[in-house]
Amino acid sequence: MDKLQINGGKRLNGDIPVSGAKNAALPILCAGLLTGGDLELSNVPRLHDVRTILKLLEQTGLKVTQDDERVTLNGANITSLEAPYELVKTMRASILVLGPLLARFGEAKVSLPGGCAIGSRPVDQHIKGLRQMGAEITIEGGYIYAKCAKLKGARILTDMITVTGTENLLMAATLAEGETVLENAAREPEVTDLANLLVSMGAKIEGIGTDRLVIQGVESLHGAKHAVISDRIEAATFLCAVAATGGDIVLRNTRTDIFDVALDKLREIGLQLDVGTDTIRARMDGRPHPVSFRTTEYPGFPTDMQAQFMAVNILADGSSRVTETIFENRFMHVQEMNRLGAQISTEGNTAFIKGVDRLVGAPVMATDLRASASLVIAGMAAEGTTIVDRIYHLDRGYDRMEVKLSAVGADIVRIK
Ligand code: EPU
């Protein structure tokens, strides 16, 4: 298993290119199942999760042609309507094939994703919505069996805001008969990116970017070209890194209009930001100021940035409080950060952080993607050597993070 060895205390200086967004690329690749035409995608990030979803899609018979960050999909000859446990268990986003397969072929068999390190993460809302569209769904032997001659439009109000739930139902609705209204829809930029792609494939969607999506079903969708949106979470992770270590970096290929409240919080921390249309320059000197926040759905503070901000707060010149409201078990980085000398205590879903003026490197390990990223940041700010174990989590969602960070001055190497 690969590890990262980090010698901390280096300031960051230089340019970092930002990749395409993981959480936009995954649903967009699944949209390849909705058409027999060519879907020509660019800015697809080189990630383990992308490789997993492509493997799953290839098993259905979808033709995949890949040239680095360009991927062309063709779904003219789909031969299997199944997502097996072996793949779904490694990546929950595999559930995103359910809506497209059912909508286009009237049938799907998808393994029920199991528990997850950050929370229980059920998919009941995906199932509830598809049932409202007329699907017959049974769960047996760990699999979701879904059937329907033709999905029918419906008004669907999900119990909570769900990102992949919205995406699954949105894709299904594009080929349903009549009008579907998705109330309480997720407004994340990644959902918007998928909706924009679907429109370029011939879907009829109104309310894109709002919490009420109105979809008029069409007979079929055609091929399209699309560039995956830039990854706001990857970008903000690098901004947290410079906030923790100090330095002067420029993020390239970013989209500053899709940022959420995290950017304001970075300013509160003391990061000097010059925001262009597709670049962000970030400068940091001195200790960060503490920031308190609660995670919420977009455009509120993203749960996917909670751990990385914690890595900055632990070094702040004061105390802060962080409340996680989206997932019930997303504080697994806390004990690892405390091993580096941080002073964090938790009470339920709130963490109380007392900033310290130095961290000391130690071996640490993480159990999920964003927690791993936060430990890399903490290790870069700590004195001495930090070894981050189990970085396969990091490789799932960051495109060669250690290469990008080394290029701007971090002392970080991968140990095989
Ligand atoms: N939920 C249910 N039932 C459902 C669906 C969701 O109870 O049917 C609950 C979840 O358990 C959770 C909340 O609703 O408590 C929100 O979950 P959501 O469905 O929005 O999460 P997701 O779609 O499974 C996506 C991202 C996550 C990100 C969350 C929240 C993808 C592939 N994944 O997950 O990304 O944290 O939205 O923004 O888009 C990551 O990139 O590290 C990551 C975990």
Side-chain angles (χ1 to χ4, degrees), residues 22-23 121-125 162-164 304 326 330 370:
K22 168 179 83 80
N23 290 345
R121 303 182 75 182
V123 291
D124 56 305
Q125 300 301 306
T162 153
V163 174
T164 49
D304 290 346
I326 306 292
R330 214 171 192 183
R370 308 302 171 185

Side-chain angles (χ1 to χ4, degrees), residues 8-242:
K10 309 279 187 290
R11 284 170 70 84
L12 302 182
N13 224 297
D15 285 15
I16 308 183
V18 177
S19 298
K22 168 179 83 80
N23 290 345
L26 297 175
I28 281 174
L29 290 164
C30 293
L33 292 170
L34 287 167
T35 175
D38 276 354
L39 212 55
E40 293 176 48
L41 304 172
S42 54
N43 207 30
V44 178
R46 284 168 289 193
L47 304 173
H48 198 266
D49 273 5
V50 165
R51 285 193 287 279
T52 305
I53 203 89
L54 287 176
K55 201 160 142 193
L56 171 59
L57 293 170
E58 276 183 314
Q59 284 199 4
T60 66
L62 193 86
K63 191 167 163 246
V64 177
T65 318
Q66 190 167 13
D67 175 14
D68 200 21
E69 296 188 353
R70 292 182 175 276
V71 176
T72 301
L73 304 175
N74 184 281
N77 293 306
I78 302 298
T79 47
S80 161
L81 306 177
E82 186 177 336
Y85 177 63
E86 289 63 40
L87 287 172
V88 177
K89 75 174 180 200
T90 67
M91 194 184 61
R92 307 179 52 79
S94 313
I95 190 74
L96 285 164
V97 302
L98 178 62
L101 285 177
L102 181 63
R104 180 156 165 234
F105 303 100
E107 207 178 317
K109 176 184 171 189
V110 177
S111 172
L112 200 57
C116 169
I118 60 175
S120 62
R121 303 182 75 182
V123 291
D124 56 305
Q125 300 301 306
H126 305 230
I127 293 172
K128 169 181 139 171
L130 292 172
R131 280 195 174 128
Q132 283 181 264
M133 295 171 85
E136 256 178 61
I137 299 183
T138 50
I139 293 167
E140 218 178 286
Y143 276 85
I144 303 168
Y145 292 83
K147 255 192 173 159
C148 189
K150 180 87 181 157
L151 289 176
K152 294 213 166 32
R155 175 175 175 268
I156 301 167
L157 173 57
T158 46
D159 297 358
M160 78 289 293
I161 299 173
T162 153
V163 174
T164 49
T166 301
E167 292 163 346
N168 231 341
L169 298 174
L170 174 63
M171 287 191 278
T174 58
L175 292 179
E177 204 175 277
E179 179 177 280
T180 299
V181 181
L182 299 180
E183 308 271 13
N184 209 20
R187 290 182 288 162
E188 269 66 4
E190 294 75 23
V191 178
T192 296
D193 200 32
L194 170 68
N196 287 336
L197 163 80
L198 293 169
V199 167
S200 62
M201 292 168 73
K204 295 198 171 134
I205 307 170
E206 276 172 28
I208 294 176
T210 75
D211 62 359
R212 187 170 191 270
L213 295 170
V214 181
I215 306 108
Q216 307 294 339
V218 294
E219 270 300 308
S220 64
L221 295 175
H222 50 73
K225 282 189 185 173
H226 185 82
V228 174
I229 199 172
S230 164
D231 197 323
R232 67 193 162 103
I233 304 296
E234 188 200 19
T237 300
F238 291 131
L239 295 177
C240 282
V242 75

Side-chain angles (χ1 to χ4, degrees), residues 269-330:
I269 279 172
L271 204 62
Q272 266 180 276
L273 294 173
D274 297 319
V275 176
T277 43
D278 61 356
T279 59
I280 301 177
R281 179 174 180 198
R283 281 168 289 174
M284 183 76 185
D285 283 304
R287 269 178 87 179
H289 304 310
V291 285
S292 294
F293 57 87
R294 288 171 74 83
T295 61
T296 51
E297 296 85 4
Y298 188 84
F301 194 98
T303 174
D304 290 346
M305 283 307 300
Q306 180 254 107
Q308 301 91 312
F309 269 74
M310 188 105 71
V312 184
N313 269 337
I314 56 180
L315 284 159
D317 55 5
S319 300
S320 55
R321 166 200 280 241
V322 168
T323 303
E324 170 61 51
T325 74
I326 306 292
F327 293 112
E328 64 270 25
N329 194 24
R330 214 171 192 183

